[in-house]
Amino acid sequence: MNQTPRVVIIGAGIVGANLADELAVRGWTNTTVIEQGPLHLAGGSTSHAPGLVFQTNASKSMTEFASYTVQKLLSLQKDGTSCFNQVGGLEIATTPERLEELKRRHGFATSWGLESRLVDAAECKRLHPLLDEEAVLGGFLVPSDGLASAARAVQLLIEKSTAAGVRFLGDTTVTGIEQDGGKVTGVRTGDDAVIEADIVVSCAGFWGPAIGDMIGMRVPLLPLAHQYVTTDALPELAGRNAGPNGASLPILRHQDKDLYYREHGDRIGIGSYAHRPMPVELDSLPKVPANKMSEHEMPSRLDFTQADFLPSWEDTKALLPALRERAIEDGFNGIFSFTPDGGPLVGQAPQLEGFYVAEAVWVTHSAGIARAVAELLIDGQPSISLHEGEVTRFEAVQTTKEYVSETSQQNFVEIYDIRHPLEPRTSPRDLRSSPFRRRQDELGAVYLESAAWERPHWFEANRELLDELPEAWSSPERDEWSNKFHSPISAAEAWKTRTAVAMYDMTPLKRLEVSGPGALALLQKLSTGNIAKKPGAVTYCLLLNADGGIRSDVTIARLGEERFQLGVNSNIDLDYFTVEARRQAEADPAAWAHVSDITGATCCIGLWGPLAREVMAKVSEDDFSNESLKYFRSAEVVIGGIPVTAMRLSYVGELGWELYASAETGQKLWDVLFEAGRESGIIAAGRGAFNSLRLEKGYRLWGTDVTPEHHPFESGLGFSIAKDKTGFVGADAVDALRNKPSDRALRCLTVNDGTSMVLGKEPVFIDGSPAGYVTSAAYGYTVRTPLAYAWLPAATVEGDQVEIEYFGRRIPATVAADPLFDPKMERLRG
């Protein structure tokens, strides 16, 4: 008898079929896959996907998911033919800006260990003879890219999984999700039958939101139609490829015109993102009976709107002259899934234990993410981090129908645009603002956006400080790319923070309150720090996975015997604490803990700088001396008549406090502090200065410098693990890792010429060979040099010489001390 959990997978497309197989090869075969369409042609995105797999992505995880997909589809064979045709992938540039972008993409590929190279126009023509060489400036080639036979892969996966004991049910509609006591128990189908389940995974693709609705879960996904056409036969391709879908030329991207191309035997297939967004309502999809389903008639294949494609047809003929005498033979508008940030949606629903989603996953990443989900279910965590695709990563305002629709359509339009890593949305904006917004506007704040928050990056009111700025504090001229979304004003704001005092809006830092008789036990179990201290203590600690990987870092302030305030990274942390609190209470009702998000109801000012105590002395009768309020302690104080929770913390490495107040008193708190600080030269400062100062101090940024693939010791965060503490999540792994040498480490780098800037994700070379990659980078205004943090071989030591590749140019750098600024913590503790 099979004792593995009963798993029901909703959807037998490329993700669901891969997941069934990944579970089966790990011994979980008590699985049922439900498909609303016929198994031979389900009628979803998989059934019409053109199958182009370009692996390179700005995300390391997404690149690795794609690479695993390539490997698996290559190994999936029948009759001597695999499900992947490794013809290579060629991206071409027809503008100077795109040529530079291809250099950046080559850098991503190198950073993530993917073989690639830049090629000139002549080489592009040799690789793809249909190109007009005169129109091309150069290209980016990944030899291992190619074409996935998605529909064929699904059939072979169904055969393989069925032989292992997996059950597939075609032509079966899901009508409900059964649950009991907050746990999933089964799936109800159209014939009113219930398939019992311990775990349900929705792999329903663009139908995912409808499945989510069945449990009251918003799945932030928008179905959008995307145009694809096939030309008539080209004499130039006659006899070149076997079969109607045969191909031997590299798959081709013409991103300057939002187009891509592949061969279909002696025809060319063309995909276009150049047209207007075409959102699709699920209720409007054609109802195609199972016996009528075909390659040309299915729910996800909508009628072709020729007028939308005609500009792309002209652009295509300009690039591929052989098509100037050809015609469009077939075209359709195929439905794909888009999300607010373009990423997939993966993970457990916080409101229903045992219910998981794996949606908005394209063919490119299908097998990789399916493997990750299988590992998540069986081992508790995946071998490749899913943190960028966690379904719970969005804030509530980002899951509304209006937000999802606008941002997903914007992502469609911008899918091939050259985007700067700091580039904010133009819309929607002004969704989340701190209580200080009016004052920040008056000071000329320039806002960037993150998690729908408006975050000041610098203040134009400080421009006049540039006339006072000592020469040693000014930063060198930047290249055009690194100068985007940057202002020299940040140098002045950093200077004032280090020499006087500055106010930083820390309101967007997500804050939780955890309270109740089980609060301490919950936090002790989930974190690496010792939280069992007297009220007033603040502890920096990590949240680990079972293997010791860092799932987040948090600060925990004990405000009372049963009340704690947490500074966390994202909504993912909120859901983690909420789910674990529920499980703890189920095991012991007396150990209940209430977890609430207090971010919107509160605000925070970071008051930092050597003159911070001068300011505080004018507005509060409380004792802010070092003897009374030590580093990493908190106190309930009154500032200008306003109740405030003051925490002696500083992410910029200076004396000061994080000052928390209720939102309705926020503007008054700002005014009181700003007025009191005038004689001390107080300013408001933004994220540009903040990021520079935190890197000088060596503070890690979770999700950028460290992720779940890294453990505390190699990350330089071993100090956050309390001595002699046991029983916390990841404790056994920590014990094993403590004395196990790692082959990598996070190192600080300084740029040798003192002027060249990098931004992050660039490859790092040692002795001419790629050896790691940059995580964060900034100009260090205090240390007067560009600096970066990078993952490098653990054998690297201070003084070693490396090179950072930036848009194809090698920049010499030196492994430096960590941290560069105030290594003895004298300024923080003074």
Side-chain angles (χ1 to χ4, degrees):
M1 181 177 178
N2 194 329
Q3 297 300 313
T4 60
R6 298 166 298 178
V7 180
V8 173
I9 298 170
I10 301 172
I14 192 68
V15 181
N18 262 301
L19 177 56
D21 176 67
E22 294 289 338
L23 291 172
V25 298
R26 289 166 175 78
W28 279 28
T29 57
N30 195 0
T31 301
T32 301
V33 183
I34 302 173
E35 172 53 54
Q36 66 176 340
L39 292 177
H40 74 278
L41 189 68
S45 299
T46 299
S47 301
H48 65 68
L52 287 78
V53 175
F54 291 94
Q55 297 167 81
T56 306
N57 195 291
S59 161
K60 181 174 185 285
S61 291
M62 295 304 286
T63 301
E64 291 173 342
F65 288 140
S67 295
Y68 178 77
T69 298
V70 168
Q71 296 166 21
K72 182 169 183 179
L73 294 184
L74 278 170
S75 69
L76 192 61
Q77 298 187 13
K78 187 173 183 179
D79 300 327
T81 303
S82 82
C83 290
F84 195 79
N85 185 359
Q86 206 157 35
V87 293
L90 178 63
E91 303 178 26
I92 54 102
T94 59
T95 64
E97 295 79 11
R98 181 66 60 181
L99 189 62
E100 291 301 299
E101 171 69 359
L102 295 185
K103 294 176 184 177
R104 189 166 73 113
R105 289 181 58 74
H106 174 55
F108 293 154
T110 305
S111 290
W112 315 145
L114 189 63
E115 181 191 348
S116 67
R117 69 178 191 268
L118 296 168
V119 294
D120 61 17
E123 180 72 354
C124 290
K125 176 69 173 179
R126 187 191 69 78
L127 291 165
H128 203 295
L130 298 183
L131 284 169
D132 179 1
E133 184 178 345
E134 296 300 316
V136 177
L137 300 179
F140 166 57
L141 177 70
V142 178
S144 57
D145 286 347
L147 289 163
S149 301
R152 182 171 180 267
V154 167
Q155 296 308 305
L156 296 187
L157 289 166
I158 290 175
E159 289 179 20
K160 184 182 176 207
S161 299
T162 300
V166 174
R167 181 170 63 142
F168 286 80
L169 301 177
D171 303 316
T172 303
T173 303
V174 172
T175 58
I177 306 297
E178 301 294 300
Q179 54 184 292
D180 182 52
K183 298 180 180 179
V184 72
T185 60
V187 175
R188 186 171 294 276
T189 61
D191 56 1
D192 210 31
V194 174
I195 302 172
E196 295 182 344
D198 304 300
I199 296 170
V200 174
V201 187
S202 177
C203 302
F206 58 76
W207 280 284
I211 303 298
D213 287 344
M214 295 177 184
I215 66 163
M217 177 188 186
R218 290 177 181 170
V219 177
L221 176 161
L222 181 71
L224 283 164
H226 159 61
Q227 291 198 303
Y228 192 80
V229 307
T230 308
T231 69
D232 58 9
L234 277 71
E236 293 85 350
L237 299 180
R240 182 184 179 98
N241 304 309
N245 286 310
S248 53
L249 295 177
I251 54 175
L252 182 65
R253 263 181 176 165
H254 182 19
Q255 290 156 298
D256 287 320
K257 294 298 183 180
D258 296 316
L259 293 164
Y260 64 81
Y261 307 92
R262 61 155 294 178
E263 294 169 282
H264 291 278
D266 58 1
R267 290 157 168 76
I268 293 291
I270 309 166
S272 171
Y273 293 102
H275 54 82
R276 61 189 169 92
M278 303 177 192
V280 177
E281 293 289 341
L282 294 180
D283 292 342
S284 70
L285 294 179
K287 304 293 189 287
V288 182
N291 62 349
K292 295 288 184 67
M293 197 84 75
S294 71
E295 182 183 345
H296 294 278
E297 191 172 359
M298 63 181 74
S300 63
R301 183 180 167 121
L302 306 182
D303 291 340
F304 183 55
T305 52
Q306 188 176 34
D308 292 302
F309 189 77
L310 289 178
S312 293
W313 181 234
E314 294 304 313
D315 290 331
T316 292
K317 289 187 290 185
L319 182 72
L320 306 174
L323 294 180
R324 292 171 186 169
E325 303 302 320
R326 306 265 55 84
I328 297 171
E329 186 172 81
D330 181 40
F332 66 96
N333 293 358
I335 304 175
F336 289 97
S337 302
F338 282 78
T339 61
D341 62 3
L345 305 171
V346 188
Q348 183 171 211
Q351 62 269 66
L352 183 58
E353 188 164 348
F355 184 90
Y356 293 77
V357 300
E359 311 288 21
V361 181
W362 290 13
V363 171
T364 299
H365 310 105
S366 55
I369 286 184
R371 180 180 68 167
V373 174
E375 292 169 338
L376 179 65
L377 298 180
I378 296 172
D379 304 324
Q381 63 198 80
S383 55
I384 299 173
S385 175
L386 283 166
H387 69 282
E388 293 168 306
E390 281 273 4
V391 67
T392 58
R393 67 189 180 272
F394 297 106
E395 297 292 321
V397 72
Q398 296 176 293
T399 64
T400 64
K401 182 177 180 180
E402 293 80 3
Y403 187 93
V404 173
S405 177
E406 181 175 351
T407 55
S408 297
Q409 291 184 61
Q410 185 178 352
N411 285 334
F412 179 92
V413 171
E414 297 175 349
I415 192 167
Y416 284 163
D417 284 5
I418 300 170
R419 303 278 297 176
H420 191 277
L422 292 178
E423 188 167 349
R425 297 188 182 281
T426 56
S427 178
R429 292 294 295 268
D430 299 320
L431 288 173
R432 307 175 82 189
S433 295
S434 79
F436 319 131
R437 178 65 183 269
R438 180 182 297 178
R439 297 296 182 251
Q440 291 168 343
D441 286 347
E442 291 169 357
L443 293 171
V446 175
Y447 300 96
L448 301 186
E449 175 265 346
S450 178
W453 279 105
E454 297 298 321
R455 308 179 77 171
H457 217 62
W458 66 83
F459 291 86
E460 285 295 324
N462 294 327
R463 186 172 292 278
E464 61 189 28
L465 294 174
L466 293 176
D467 295 333
E468 306 173 26
L469 187 68
E471 179 64 27
W473 280 87
S474 62
S475 57
E477 291 293 321
R478 293 177 175 232
D479 66 278
E480 182 179 0
W481 184 251
S482 67
N483 199 44
K484 288 186 175 183
F485 309 104
H486 162 77
S487 171
I489 294 172
S490 293
E493 294 177 357
W495 168 56
K496 279 291 186 179
T497 306
R498 290 279 190 241
T499 60
V501 61
M503 292 166 55
Y504 288 82
D505 183 357
M506 301 301 290
T507 302
L509 172 69
K510 195 169 187 70
R511 291 174 292 287
L512 311 180
E513 182 173 278
V514 181
S515 59
L520 177 59
L522 177 71
L523 298 175
Q524 284 285 74
K525 175 188 174 185
L526 300 184
S527 73
T528 61
N530 180 16
I531 315 303
K533 302 173 184 175
K534 293 180 181 179
V538 183
T539 307
Y540 172 81
C541 46
L542 305 177
L543 309 180
L544 301 181
N545 287 321
D547 70 344
I550 302 170
R551 66 172 296 140
S552 191
D553 66 340
V554 300
T555 55
I556 302 177
R558 190 170 194 177
L559 304 182
E561 289 295 330
E562 296 184 353
R563 185 167 71 95
F564 300 82
Q565 181 173 312
L566 281 61
V568 302
N569 282 297
S570 73
N571 206 56
I572 298 171
D573 296 330
L574 167 63
D575 287 319
Y576 178 56
F577 282 109
T578 300
V579 169
E580 291 300 323
R582 184 171 67 227
R583 289 174 177 168
Q584 178 174 286
E586 289 171 354
D588 180 2
W592 63 267
H594 180 67
V595 181
S596 58
D597 182 353
I598 61 171
T599 312
T602 56
C603 59
C604 179
I605 294 173
L607 183 74
W608 295 314
L611 303 185
R613 281 201 181 101
E614 287 186 10
V615 177
M616 206 62 81
K618 297 178 181 179
V619 293
S620 179
E621 296 180 359
D622 290 286
D623 188 352
F624 285 86
S625 68
N626 195 49
E627 293 74 20
S628 177
L629 188 54
K630 289 183 169 58
Y631 186 53
F632 263 83
R633 296 287 297 176
S634 70
E636 301 298 328
V637 300
V638 175
I639 299 174
I642 300 167
V644 171
T645 299
M647 297 186 192
R648 181 81 184 277
L649 308 173
S650 172
Y651 206 50
V652 299
E654 290 293 335
L655 167 69
W657 307 270
E658 291 179 359
L659 304 173
Y660 296 92
S662 61
E664 74 266 19
T665 61
Q667 182 173 306
K668 179 65 174 177
L669 177 63
W670 179 284
D671 290 345
V672 165
L673 291 170
F674 206 82
E675 181 61 32
R678 288 189 186 278
E679 290 183 11
S680 304
I682 198 169
I683 64 162
R687 298 290 296 186
F690 180 90
N691 193 50
S692 169
L693 299 174
R694 74 99 181 165
L695 278 177
E696 290 181 333
K697 196 70 186 71
Y699 290 145
R700 278 64 167 148
L701 178 62
W702 186 86
T704 300
D705 299 313
V706 295
T707 73
E709 76 170 271
H710 305 114
H711 68 68
F713 305 109
E714 63 188 4
S715 304
L717 297 174
F719 67 88
S720 66
I721 301 170
K723 293 179 180 179
D724 302 322
K725 183 180 180 183
T726 60
F728 59 90
V729 174
D732 292 342
V734 163
D735 287 341
L737 291 166
R738 195 185 304 274
N739 299 313
K740 181 182 177 182
S742 177
D743 60 358
R744 62 186 176 184
L746 190 61
R747 299 296 193 209
C748 179
L749 304 178
T750 55
V751 173
N752 292 358
D753 64 15
T755 59
S756 297
M757 290 299 304
V758 299
L759 296 181
K761 301 187 178 182
E762 296 89 357
V764 180
F765 290 75
I766 297 177
D767 295 330
S769 298
Y773 58 92
V774 173
T775 57
S776 295
Y779 186 83
Y781 298 110
T782 317
V783 297
R784 297 161 175 70
T785 188
L787 56 97
Y789 274 77
W791 282 101
L792 293 175
T796 53
V797 296
E798 188 177 340
D800 283 353
Q801 298 300 300
V802 301
E803 292 179 306
I804 305 171
E805 187 173 280
Y806 181 70
F807 288 94
R809 178 171 62 94
R810 299 283 176 89
I811 299 172
T814 301
V815 178
D818 176 21
L820 289 170
F821 179 77
D822 191 26
K824 295 182 179 180
M825 306 284 281
E826 295 169 342
R827 295 173 75 100
L828 276 172
R829 299 180 185 276

